[in-house]
Amino acid sequence: MKPVKLIMSAFGSYAGTEVIDFTGKDQGFFLISGDTGAGKTTIFDAITYALYGRTSGGRRDGEMMRSQYADADTDTWVEFTFEYGNNIYSVRRNPEYIRQSKRRNADGSARYTTEKPDVTLTMPDGSEFTGNKKEVNGKIVEIIGLDAKQFAQ
């Protein structure tokens, strides 16, 4: 599996939308480096979360990954595009989280609602793989040949 692009929105330590483009690097190796607290683990968490619905260390679940620094109206999601066997796949996943509703309470105060978790897998032909979370996760394991535990190793 070769990473192509990772997009994170209000995920982990990233308050806004961050894009990491892995294309144009002919060496086939990627180095993710930075100071302590720079967000390196969040990048691995985002990739693993997009693929499997859990973080790389397995200690945090998706609900814990909404950025505490994000604006109330910024949606939380990750999208990971990867190449496998000369085919391009894209998976977009959002965790369950509490967000500010577009509607207000009668007194004008903010109203909150729960954003439900969702996952979308786009196949190489541009079609969307239909299925629930468990079926999409199974399809990703089928494509890559690794489950979440194996991938994290």
Side-chain angles (χ1 to χ4, degrees), residues 15-92:
T17 301
E18 299 292 329
V19 178
I20 300 173
D21 187 351
F22 295 99
T23 61
K25 314 291 188 243
D26 295 328
Q27 293 80 12
F29 290 96
F30 304 97
L31 173 66
I32 297 175
S33 67
D35 294 334
T36 300
K40 300 177 297 294
T41 301
T42 303
I43 293 168
F44 292 110
D45 283 343
I47 292 170
T48 308
Y49 182 74
L51 293 171
Y52 301 104
R54 54 182 279 193
T55 59
S56 59
R59 291 183 218 122
R60 294 174 287 197
D61 59 14
E63 293 79 22
M64 297 172 64
M65 294 311 298
R66 175 157 171 84
S67 175
Q68 64 184 5
Y69 308 110
D71 292 335
D73 59 348
T74 302
D75 292 333
T76 299
W77 52 270
V78 294
E79 183 174 322
F80 181 56
T81 303
F82 63 95
E83 180 180 343
Y84 191 84
N86 294 321
N87 292 309
I88 303 290
Y89 300 88
S90 183
V91 61
R92 181 179 168 128

Side-chain angles (χ1 to χ4, degrees), residues 91-131:
V91 61
R92 181 179 168 128
R93 194 180 300 255
N94 68 275
E96 180 174 301
Y97 62 94
I98 305 293
R99 67 169 173 80
Q100 189 170 332
S101 175
K102 293 175 177 44
R103 298 177 63 182
R104 297 257 179 201
N105 290 318
D107 66 359
S109 63
R111 180 185 292 187
Y112 293 90
T113 186
T114 301
E115 187 72 29
K116 297 296 181 195
D118 192 28
V119 59
T120 305
L121 173 62
T122 305
M123 304 302 285
D125 64 0
S127 68
E128 194 173 293
F129 178 80
T130 54

